[in-house]
Amino acid sequence: MDLAAFRAVAKLLPHAVLVCTASGRILTVNPATYRTVDTLRPGAHLLELVLDADAVSKQLAQWLRSGSALPGVMTARDGEGRPVRLRCHGARATWWQGPEPALQLHLSRLDVSDRFVALSQRVSLMHQQMAYRRAIAEQRDRLLRAETEARARMQRLYRLTAALAASANLTEVCEAVHKSAPQALDAVDVTLELHPRRIVPSLAPSDTLPVTTASWTDLDQLHGASPAAPSQDTSHRVPLEAEGVVLGSLVVHHAPGAEPDVDYTTAIAQQIAQAVRRAGLFEHEHRLAVRLQRSLLPRLPEVDGLDIASGYAPGTHMVDVGGDWYDVHLLGEDTVGFTIGDVAGHGIAEATAMAQISTVLRSISRRHSEHLPAVMAELNDFLGTYHEGLMATACYATYHHRDRTLRYTRAGHPPPLLVHADGSTEYLNNALAPPLGPVPFTRFPQSEITLPPDSTLVFYTDGLIERRGESLDVGLDRLARTAATTVGLDAQDTCELLLHEQPDTDMPDDRALLIVRFPPNDTD
């Protein structure tokens, strides 16, 4: 108990009660004290207000050592200097938690009340005080229990809200609901009944909702019929509605005898409906972006003597088209060109630049097939002129069948990976120049290498090797180790293995691959 609580209890007492420190400084008094001796006020010093200071000082020391009230007397001066003789009962205030010990004194005027009347009043008031304290303690316990229950409920609601906010697609939303909603609703279990065609509009008749777990009931498959209710009527069905569209229902299964909070359940159902709606829009945008991205990528020609495959995969949360591209250029009877690149960023401007770069590069490569620096210089001039402010990385290479010579140049792009027939690997780290676009009149170097028989060349964009919070060298080492295991696979199987090496990893950027296998007899 503190001084505020003491004053709340003592103000109802008809006799004077004061609290003072061991040295006599008065901390607080009740209203009856002012009527008894008007000079006894908080902040005053008791020993300066009494006539017998030495005796009172000894009484204070005696009361401080006592665990129960001891009697005593003192004479204090009132506001007009008149002496007022007081009967006292004092004891140490064990409830006080201040820096200096305190005493609690009960005072009565000897010239007003008979001691037996005073004793009777003190006993009665003591009972009242105990009753008040008991009532205050019970109320405090009730408030504490209510606060604890409310805090626990808010924590369960927060876990559900956080799980829904972190869920990007419908599968993750359904898993979050089944994991966190029962605790938030004080329920045994919950069931989701959804209309998938309302959640994710179809782009084609063959489209299906990409939910990988049986965590919801497909109402469209039931042709509008509601699922059968459980045998015991302990469930509560709440519609899931967002932006005027009924997406389905949330069925909450309660324990027998439980009384659900209808308003609270409805509020949670609205949160779940918004998460389902948001996940459906994300999935729809994701499908559109992937379809548009793939429509911009070229169909590769077949090249005699070479096994070529390509692949593309969007980032984990990609909803905008990106700038990754790859292509194969037929430059002559004996020469073929390979290119891969990445326009920085995602969006319409980046996708437009990517499509135009891929088209322009086909023309440039045929005019400068034997001079790779000229190809990159003209491509750099094109990007700086028509797409000012954009930047792209690229790798361009030509291969000559007759002498198995590969010439290559890189504009800020990761090095191609060469996989030998015995599984050893090496990165083609030479011929590096700044990225395309920002720096005009850049000089692009060229390097060449004779490819060994039965080798594989891996062109890729940085999304294949980058991970959040990981060094780029770690990604390069991982790609080299994985590529070493592809010996004996054809180009398509190699592409599938490298493109989806870690399906459970969060890959924030797009991934593009161009795989070229050089069989032992490609010179025949």
Side-chain angles (χ1 to χ4, degrees):
M1 184 167 64
D2 55 11
L3 291 178
F6 172 82
R7 285 193 292 268
V9 173
K11 71 178 183 179
L12 302 175
L13 301 177
H15 66 276
V17 180
L18 68 82
V19 178
C20 68
T21 65
S23 61
R25 182 172 56 88
I26 299 175
L27 298 175
T28 186
V29 300
N30 70 340
T33 304
Y34 299 125
R35 297 191 297 270
T36 303
V37 182
D38 55 0
T39 56
L40 299 178
R41 297 179 175 274
H45 204 286
L46 182 63
L47 298 179
E48 296 176 356
L49 300 175
V50 297
L51 298 179
D52 44 352
D54 292 337
V56 172
S57 178
K58 293 179 181 179
Q59 286 183 341
L60 292 177
Q62 184 181 10
W63 288 333
L64 186 63
R65 294 190 297 270
S66 174
S68 57
L70 297 178
V73 293
M74 68 175 67
T75 303
R77 297 185 184 89
D78 62 10
E80 298 179 0
R82 294 173 298 188
V84 178
R85 190 163 176 79
L86 301 170
R87 177 182 288 113
C88 313
H89 282 79
R92 181 169 181 169
T94 57
W95 50 266
W96 171 249
Q97 297 180 354
E100 183 180 359
L103 300 103
Q104 181 174 323
L105 307 182
H106 295 249
L107 310 175
S108 60
R109 296 175 63 126
L110 289 175
D111 58 347
V112 173
S113 59
D114 182 81
R115 62 176 182 172
F116 296 106
V117 175
L119 179 61
S120 176
Q121 290 177 344
R122 282 198 298 272
V123 171
S124 177
L125 292 175
M126 186 180 300
H127 285 299
Q128 290 182 7
Q129 186 179 28
M130 292 176 61
Y132 283 129
R133 288 180 178 178
R134 186 163 49 248
I136 291 174
E138 292 175 354
Q139 184 179 14
R140 181 188 60 193
D141 291 341
R142 287 195 299 270
L143 292 176
L144 183 59
R145 287 194 299 270
E147 181 183 356
T148 302
E149 293 174 359
R151 184 183 296 112
R153 194 179 201 187
M154 286 299 296
Q155 289 176 344
R156 296 192 294 269
L157 178 60
Y158 172 77
R159 285 194 290 269
L160 172 61
T161 303
L164 292 175
S167 302
N169 54 49
L170 194 57
T171 299
E172 294 175 355
V173 170
C174 293
E175 292 175 351
V177 170
H178 280 275
K179 181 179 179 180
S180 302
Q183 293 83 2
L185 291 166
D186 297 324
V188 177
D189 195 12
V190 297
T191 303
L192 281 174
E193 302 172 351
L194 302 177
H195 291 283
R197 294 189 182 93
R198 301 179 188 176
I199 297 171
V200 184
S202 298
L203 299 176
S206 60
D207 280 348
T208 57
L209 194 62
V211 176
T212 58
T213 59
S215 56
W216 53 280
T217 302
D218 190 337
L219 295 179
D220 292 337
Q221 293 294 332
L222 298 176
H223 304 290
S226 298
S231 57
Q232 295 182 349
D233 188 18
T234 58
S235 63
H236 181 209
R237 180 175 280 100
V238 184
L240 298 176
E241 182 176 349
E243 300 177 5
V245 179
V246 178
L247 306 176
S249 299
L250 174 69
V251 184
V252 185
H253 306 283
H254 296 282
E259 297 183 2
D261 187 336
V262 177
D263 293 336
Y264 180 68
T265 304
T266 302
I268 289 183
Q270 290 175 350
Q271 283 193 355
I272 295 174
Q274 291 294 333
V276 170
R277 179 66 170 171
R278 184 180 65 252
L281 293 175
F282 171 87
E283 182 62 39
H284 183 61
E285 293 176 3
H286 184 77
R287 289 185 184 185
L288 287 173
V290 171
R291 184 164 298 191
L292 176 58
Q293 182 77 55
R294 288 176 174 163
S295 70
L296 296 174
L297 296 173
R299 185 186 299 273
L300 301 183
E302 294 185 4
V303 181
D304 293 338
L306 299 180
D307 183 11
I308 303 175
S310 62
Y312 167 81
T316 306
H317 301 304
M318 196 274 287
V319 293
D320 292 322
V321 288
D324 291 23
W325 87 85
Y326 52 77
D327 205 353
V328 174
H329 308 278
L330 301 178
L331 304 178
E333 294 182 0
D334 191 50
T335 306
V336 60
F338 310 107
T339 181
I340 192 165
D342 180 9
V343 178
H346 287 86
I348 297 300
E350 289 77 6
T352 302
M354 177 268 286
Q356 293 182 359
I357 288 173
S358 182
T359 302
V360 167
L361 188 56
R362 291 184 175 183
S363 173
I364 298 174
S365 63
R366 293 187 66 86
R367 287 189 283 108
H368 304 289
S369 60
E370 299 298 327
H371 192 211
L372 278 65
V375 173
M376 298 299 277
E378 190 167 339
L379 191 60
N380 183 51
D381 181 66
F382 168 79
L383 190 63
T385 302
Y386 295 100
H387 295 282
E388 184 178 359
L390 290 184
M391 182 183 72
T393 66
C395 179
Y396 179 70
T398 60
Y399 175 70
H400 297 270
H401 289 271
R402 193 178 308 278
D403 54 8
R404 306 183 67 93
T405 299
L406 180 82
R407 296 183 176 89
Y408 66 94
T409 182
R410 297 186 295 133
H413 201 78
L417 177 63
L418 181 62
V419 184
H420 294 267
D422 61 357
S424 60
T425 61
E426 63 174 305
Y427 282 104
L428 307 185
N429 287 306
N430 298 326
L432 179 61
L436 300 171
V439 184
F441 312 112
T442 301
R443 296 177 63 87
F444 294 91
Q446 172 180 304
S447 186
E448 68 177 54
I449 183 175
T450 300
L451 297 180
D454 203 19
S455 58
T456 302
L457 197 57
V458 180
F459 297 94
Y460 56 93
T461 56
D462 56 5
L464 189 70
I465 57 175
E466 288 184 345
R467 302 290 184 274
R468 286 193 177 97
E470 181 181 271
S471 169
L472 194 60
D473 291 337
V474 175
L476 291 170
D477 291 341
R478 178 175 54 247
L479 175 60
R481 289 194 305 271
T482 306
T485 66
T486 63
V487 174
L489 300 180
D490 62 14
Q492 186 60 46
D493 289 341
T494 300
C495 185
E496 290 295 326
L497 176 63
L498 297 181
L499 195 63
H500 305 291
E501 171 198 1
Q502 293 176 296
D504 297 330
T505 301
D506 184 17
M507 298 179 179
D509 202 0
D510 308 345
R511 310 182 298 283
L513 266 177
L514 181 63
I515 307 295
V516 185
R517 288 213 60 206
F518 302 91
N521 60 344
D522 68 336
T523 58
D524 294 348

